[in-house]
């Protein structure tokens, strides 16, 4: 997965969950994830390497995703924040198609019924000739659901149910795999 795709998908997800946004948004990434998205071999260690990574990411986004506007990057410890200005957020809201799966998933999630969520995943996959991978014995990740065929949806959904209801975390597959 490329950084641009992950950023745009995350902005769309937040817009679906929170509504339209006329303000900047800060996206936070572990630096090793940024390096993976950018297909860089080495995570920076020195200050010079960190500055070079900031320059590389800024250049990449200005060339591959100029519609996001003049992003502001900050590198702190092992995280990078990417601030997308309001005009970039508006562009994504107005011009990027809402992912059908994500929209349906968030609607089913409102029902706060884990079995209905699982049924939604399986029916969505079956309608597209795909299959769902379902894991329930994961350590501290709740129920994990994702499509075997990444073209259906490339993310891993970790769904947790407790006394406060059902919540989820969505990971790029490579980020999820790093957790284990």
């Amino acid at each position: 997965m490329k950084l641009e795709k992950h950023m745009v998908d995350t902005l769309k997800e937040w817009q679906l969950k929170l509504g339209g946004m006329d303000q900047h948004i800060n996206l936070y990434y572990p630096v090793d994830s940024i390096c993976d998205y950018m297909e860089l071999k080495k995570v920076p260690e020195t200050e010079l390497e960190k500055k070079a990574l900031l320059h590389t990411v800024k250049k990449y986004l200005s060339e591959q995703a100029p519609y996001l506007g003049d992003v502001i990057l900050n590198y702190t410890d092992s995280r990078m924040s990417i601030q997308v200005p309001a005009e970039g957020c508006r562009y994504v809201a107005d011009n990027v198609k809402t992912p059908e799966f994500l929209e349906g998933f968030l609607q089913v999630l409102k029902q706060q019924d884990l079995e209905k969520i699982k049924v939604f995943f399986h029916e969505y996959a079956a309608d597209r000739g795909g299959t769902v991978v379902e894991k329930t014995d994961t350590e501290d990740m709740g129920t994990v659901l994702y499509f075997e065929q990444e073209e259906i949806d490339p993310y891993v959904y970790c769904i947790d149910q407790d006394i406060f209801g059902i919540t989820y975390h969505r990971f790029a597959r490579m980020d999820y795999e790093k957790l284990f």
Side-chain angles (χ1 to χ4, degrees), residues 51-94:
K51 286 181 182 179
L53 178 61
L54 286 170
H55 174 75
T56 300
V57 171
K58 181 86 167 174
K59 183 175 187 232
Y60 166 82
L61 291 172
S62 69
E63 291 173 358
Q64 299 300 315
Y67 54 87
L68 292 177
D70 188 21
V71 298
I72 298 172
L73 306 175
N74 286 300
Y75 195 129
T76 307
D77 297 322
S78 60
R79 284 190 342 165
M80 183 180 293
S81 80
I82 303 174
Q83 184 180 93
V84 180
E87 61 268 16
C89 295
R90 272 193 301 279
Y91 180 90
V92 170
D94 294 343

Side-chain angles (χ1 to χ4, degrees), residues 19-178:
M21 298 183 191
D22 285 331
Q23 61 188 24
H24 72 268
I25 294 179
N26 289 315
L27 303 175
Y28 295 90
Y29 290 95
V31 170
D32 64 329
S33 293
I34 292 279
C35 291
D36 287 343
Y37 296 142
M38 302 279 299
E39 299 178 348
L40 302 173
K41 304 278 187 251
K42 182 178 181 231
V43 175
E45 295 174 10
T46 68
E47 288 305 311
L48 188 60
E49 290 172 339
K50 292 174 183 180
K51 286 181 182 179
L53 178 61
L54 286 170
H55 174 75
T56 300
V57 171
K58 181 86 167 174
K59 183 175 187 232
Y60 166 82
L61 291 172
S62 69
E63 291 173 358
Q64 299 300 315
Y67 54 87
L68 292 177
D70 188 21
V71 298
I72 298 172
L73 306 175
N74 286 300
Y75 195 129
T76 307
D77 297 322
S78 60
R79 284 190 342 165
M80 183 180 293
S81 80
I82 303 174
Q83 184 180 93
V84 180
E87 61 268 16
C89 295
R90 272 193 301 279
Y91 180 90
V92 170
D94 294 343
N95 297 290
V96 175
K97 185 178 182 225
T98 299
E100 179 186 26
F101 171 76
L102 183 60
E103 189 171 40
F105 168 70
L106 292 175
Q107 286 300 314
V108 174
L109 182 67
K110 288 178 185 178
Q111 297 176 35
Q112 291 290 291
D113 184 324
L114 184 56
E115 289 309 311
K116 287 182 180 178
I117 292 169
K118 290 178 184 180
V119 166
F120 174 74
F121 265 83
H122 286 282
E123 288 178 352
Y124 195 89
D127 288 348
R128 285 145 189 84
T131 54
V132 173
V133 176
E134 182 175 333
K135 299 178 182 179
T136 55
D137 59 349
T138 57
E139 197 172 300
D140 296 327
M141 298 301 276
T143 299
V144 175
L145 299 166
Y146 59 92
F147 298 102
E148 198 168 287
Q149 301 76 14
E150 288 190 46
E151 62 274 5
I152 295 174
D153 184 274
Y155 293 97
V156 176
Y157 295 79
C158 299
I159 302 165
D160 192 36
Q161 185 170 12
D162 60 23
I163 61 171
F164 300 107
I166 295 176
T167 58
Y168 79 97
H169 295 283
R170 184 174 84 157
F171 297 94
R173 201 165 296 205
M174 66 183 161
D175 290 332
Y176 172 77
E177 289 168 356
K178 282 187 217 170

